[in-house]
């Protein structure tokens, strides 16, 4: 069994809600469908702590109509990419920071706040990014 298949089997065994919501796109590429906040928080902690996805490369924000999509791109020592997708309502765009597990993600979370208006709970204080400090509050490109 290939490593990607082992990862998917482990995730589906631990989180039955992933059974029809995760797939191997191609070698070294695993993607989930959009997960709820609660599902996402469980899965990201597990993949960090138990499956050793120790590196976060990027967070991509997408406009999904009534919702925002957040794609967290993680990798392990074998350079397998795991893309965990979370969805939040535009009416209540609140997520928890994952910077405690992935310190490299801070600027990406700031970008979610500046460009999409996402409220990232637990995001350490710091400068705005990528918008300048004088950018009008509540105006998201």
């Amino acid at each position: 069994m290939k490593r990607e298949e082992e990862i998917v089997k482990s995730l589906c065994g631990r989180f039955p809600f992933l059974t029809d919501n995760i797939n191997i796109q191609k070698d070294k590429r695993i993607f989930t469908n959009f997960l709820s906040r609660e599902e996402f928080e469980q899965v990201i902690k597990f993949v960090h702590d138990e499956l050793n996805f120790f590196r976060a490369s990027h967070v991509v924000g997408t406009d999904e109509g009534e919702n925002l999509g957040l794609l967290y791109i993680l990798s392990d020592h074998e350079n397998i990419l795991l893309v965990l997708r979370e969805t939040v309502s535009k009416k209540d765009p609140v997520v928890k920071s994952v910077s405690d597990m992935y310190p490299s993600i801070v600027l990406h979370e700031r970008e979610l706040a500046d460009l999409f208006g996402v409220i990232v709970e637990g995001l350490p204080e710091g400068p705005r990014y990528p918008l300048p400090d004088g950018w009008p509050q509540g105006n998201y490109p």
Side-chain angles (χ1 to χ4, degrees):
M1 181 181 308
K2 293 176 59 172
R3 178 71 179 131
E4 296 89 340
E5 293 168 341
E6 292 172 5
I7 292 166
V8 169
K9 183 177 179 181
S10 176
L11 284 167
C12 291
R14 175 68 185 248
F15 305 105
F17 59 80
L18 286 176
T19 300
D20 293 323
N21 291 306
I22 190 167
N23 62 73
I24 300 168
Q25 296 270 334
K26 61 181 184 175
D27 287 348
K28 297 190 179 272
R29 304 291 185 271
I30 304 168
F31 287 72
T32 68
N33 293 339
F34 285 112
L35 304 174
S36 71
R37 177 179 178 171
E38 295 78 21
E39 292 169 339
F40 173 83
E41 289 173 4
Q42 292 174 53
V43 173
I44 198 164
K45 182 166 179 30
F46 179 77
V47 300
H48 177 269
D49 296 349
E50 303 296 327
L51 297 183
N52 204 24
F53 277 84
F54 69 98
R55 184 184 310 120
S57 306
H58 200 66
V59 180
V60 177
T62 60
D63 187 333
E64 301 293 328
E66 297 289 319
N67 298 314
L68 295 172
L70 310 174
L71 289 71
Y72 293 77
I73 303 170
L74 313 173
S75 61
D76 67 1
H77 289 289
E78 295 178 45
N79 295 315
I80 294 173
L81 293 183
L82 174 62
V83 179
L84 297 180
R85 298 180 194 187
E86 178 179 14
T87 187
V88 295
S89 168
K90 286 182 181 176
K91 294 177 183 172
D92 186 28
V94 178
V95 297
K96 288 185 181 175
S97 175
V98 297
S99 62
D100 57 334
M101 290 183 280
Y102 301 104
S104 63
I105 217 74
V106 168
L107 285 179
H108 302 283
E109 290 180 335
R110 289 193 200 295
E111 187 174 292
L112 291 176
D114 264 7
L115 298 182
F116 290 92
V118 174
I119 299 163
V120 184
E121 295 177 335
L123 182 62
E125 291 293 322
R128 296 186 69 180
Y129 179 82
L131 300 177
D133 288 335
W135 190 269
Q137 290 292 332
N139 187 350
Y140 307 110

